[in-house]
Amino acid sequence: MPDLFVDLRSDTVTRPTAGMREAMAAAEVGDDVYGEDPSVNALEAEVAALFGHEAALFAPSGSMANQIALQLLVSPGDELLCDADAHVVTYEIGAAAAYGGISSRTWPAVGADIDPEVVAGMIRPDGYFAVPTRAIAVEQTHNRGGGGVIPLATLRDLRGVADEAGVALHCDGARIWHAHVADRVPLIEYGQLFDTLSVCLSKGLGAPVGSLVVGSAEKMQRARLIRKRMGGGMRQAGILAAGGRYALAHHIDRLADDHAKAARLAEAVAPFGVLATTVRTNLVALDLTKHTLDARALAAAARAEGVLVSVLGPRTARLVTHLGVSDADIDRAVAALPRILAAA
């Protein structure tokens, strides 16, 4: 995408920095399917330690990482509970059912504002000729929930719900780094609450490719087989892993800058009544239900002004800040977006 655009569509559009490219070029590599890539092994050990788990597994994408984790926790024909807007049932093209034979049931979409009692009331035990619940999945931070951060107290309550019912708890932590920075919760404290996590390197952290599944050593042994079955076995993947390790070392603390830029965007559009949620991290969700512009019209008008926004639905749009967006870019966006919304 030409640099003449301010690209607020997603934090997946970032390009590797010069330092990251150097790290990738210098990476030691081996055959990761044989478990012999030293850079991949180092990345997996580092991420596992960050979250206080025994092991981790590098995967090509966040969707694959999530689906590997779900297959570890839920047998074919059994049930996963999550929210109606969860990435695992919204943006992964039915993979839980298609690949894992997993039945899913959802609670109403409330973003990060989960009521553990509602979740507890949905769990179905074995017997009674009903599909038994085997796992609960939550998303931290929540994409369609405008980057909302699930409070630590809520996650602890959900852990208690899962333990009492004898079911597993999975975290789709694609943007958990943002929650860590926003609420200053140590990653290891998040990690100890979940049986499995997926964490992404190619969104806010700016690596070109890759996510990891995190869990016990026994689970990760099984995860390697599932990854291979899904076509995710990679050979000299250390080049990619090195980009991820660079991102972990250099791009976590700077996420606070993205949050501040998102807050500026939110402040600019707030007078027009289109903010869908309070902005806590790097996502600004726009609800255009009561505005004369729909999402596609807003995106077209913004593009004409050199600003790219994401269309999530007929009346839903999204702005995302990331390391490829400068303060000057935000200046352009906060000048253009209010002008567009006011003119409609």
Side-chain angles (χ1 to χ4, degrees):
M1 185 62 61
D3 290 335
L4 57 91
F5 287 107
V6 178
D7 198 340
L8 303 177
R9 292 174 299 169
S10 176
D11 45 8
T12 60
V13 302
T14 56
R15 302 166 186 169
T17 63
M20 184 179 289
R21 288 177 185 270
E22 290 176 9
M24 294 170 70
E28 290 186 68
V29 299
D31 191 322
D32 183 50
V33 172
Y34 286 113
E36 296 174 355
D37 190 303
S39 297
V40 172
N41 293 342
L43 172 66
E44 291 172 344
E46 180 178 357
V47 171
L50 283 174
F51 290 93
H53 279 264
E54 292 179 328
L57 182 73
F58 190 43
S61 72
S63 292
M64 183 178 286
N66 272 330
Q67 294 305 319
I68 290 170
L70 297 184
Q71 290 178 56
L72 290 171
L73 304 177
V74 186
S75 297
D78 289 347
E79 182 179 77
L80 170 75
L81 296 181
C82 61
D83 81 272
D85 271 349
H87 194 283
V88 294
V89 294
T90 304
Y91 292 120
E92 298 183 12
I93 321 299
Y99 291 118
I102 295 170
S103 177
S104 57
R105 195 156 46 94
T106 61
W107 61 83
V110 289
D113 299 324
I114 303 168
D115 184 343
E117 292 186 5
V118 169
V119 178
M122 293 180 66
I123 294 173
R124 289 173 174 160
D126 281 307
Y128 308 102
F129 302 101
V131 178
T133 304
R134 299 301 186 201
I136 301 162
V138 297
E139 190 173 326
Q140 179 77 308
T141 62
H142 199 291
N143 178 19
R144 288 185 65 87
V149 180
I150 305 171
L152 184 61
T154 300
L155 294 175
R156 286 173 173 160
D157 287 346
L158 286 169
R159 179 73 263 174
V161 166
D163 287 344
E164 184 173 351
V167 303
L169 187 62
H170 170 67
C171 178
D172 174 358
R175 295 184 175 92
I176 200 168
W177 322 103
H178 286 280
H180 162 65
V181 170
D183 277 4
R184 299 190 178 279
V185 175
L187 295 171
I188 198 167
E189 195 160 353
Y190 281 135
Q192 68 187 9
L193 294 172
F194 297 99
D195 297 279
T196 56
L197 303 94
S198 67
V199 298
C200 186
L201 304 171
S202 62
K203 290 190 171 70
L205 297 191
V209 175
S211 290
L212 292 99
V213 191
V214 184
S216 68
E218 182 274 332
K219 283 186 174 66
M220 293 308 102
Q221 281 296 108
R222 290 194 287 132
R224 293 188 74 87
L225 296 176
I226 297 170
R227 183 185 68 176
K228 191 71 166 65
R229 183 178 299 130
M230 296 178 72
M234 297 180 285
R235 301 298 179 174
Q236 287 69 39
I239 295 169
L240 301 175
R245 294 197 75 197
Y246 183 92
L248 291 173
H250 297 279
H251 292 168
I252 293 179
D253 290 342
R254 64 149 307 280
L255 294 175
D257 296 336
D258 294 342
H259 300 176
K261 292 180 176 110
R264 286 189 62 200
L265 292 171
E267 184 180 7
V269 302
F272 302 95
V274 296
L275 271 184
T277 61
T278 301
V279 173
R280 292 286 324 280
T281 55
N282 69 319
L283 307 184
V284 182
L286 303 181
D287 179 359
L288 298 162
T289 304
K290 298 180 179 179
H291 199 275
T292 54
L293 285 177
D294 64 16
R296 290 193 182 280
L298 172 65
R303 186 183 183 93
E305 295 265 9
V307 178
L308 303 180
V309 307
S310 181
V311 176
L312 300 185
R315 290 274 170 183
T316 307
R318 186 187 69 176
L319 314 173
V320 187
T321 56
H322 48 80
L323 62 81
V325 175
S326 68
D327 287 323
D329 290 333
I330 296 297
D331 290 340
R332 289 178 61 191
V334 300
L337 293 171
R339 185 164 58 244
I340 294 165
L341 291 166

